[in-house]
Amino acid sequence: MSAHSLGVEIACNGPTGRDDCPDSAAIPARFTSRTARQVRADGRSAGWQVRPGGRDLCPNCAPKETR
């Protein structure tokens, strides 16, 4: 019998980084995404942002750009 990694899931750190995401958002791991870097790349294509300090923010918690 052998064990294989099923991949990773990255969860949103919440709007302030000190609280949980109100939507309990997580990047769904694809079958081909096996590392945190690959899953974060999936998240960026879905609108996620990685803020300084490694904070992962879903589109609902990420600061909106204003012009």
Side-chain angles (χ1 to χ4, degrees):
M1 179 182 282
S2 59
H4 299 280
S5 172
L6 296 176
V8 294
E9 179 181 83
I10 307 296
C12 180
N13 292 119
T16 66
R18 294 185 197 93
D19 53 359
D20 293 330
C21 172
D23 296 325
S24 299
I27 300 171
R30 296 183 194 168
F31 181 72
T32 57
S33 298
R34 298 190 178 269
T35 67
R37 179 177 284 183
Q38 291 170 327
V39 176
R40 282 191 172 98
D42 293 342
R44 282 191 299 278
S45 67
W48 282 61
Q49 295 181 12
V50 179
R51 306 298 290 172
R55 288 182 50 219
D56 296 292
L57 297 176
C58 71
N60 292 333
C61 292
K64 308 293 185 247
E65 292 186 29
T66 57
R67 294 182 176 203

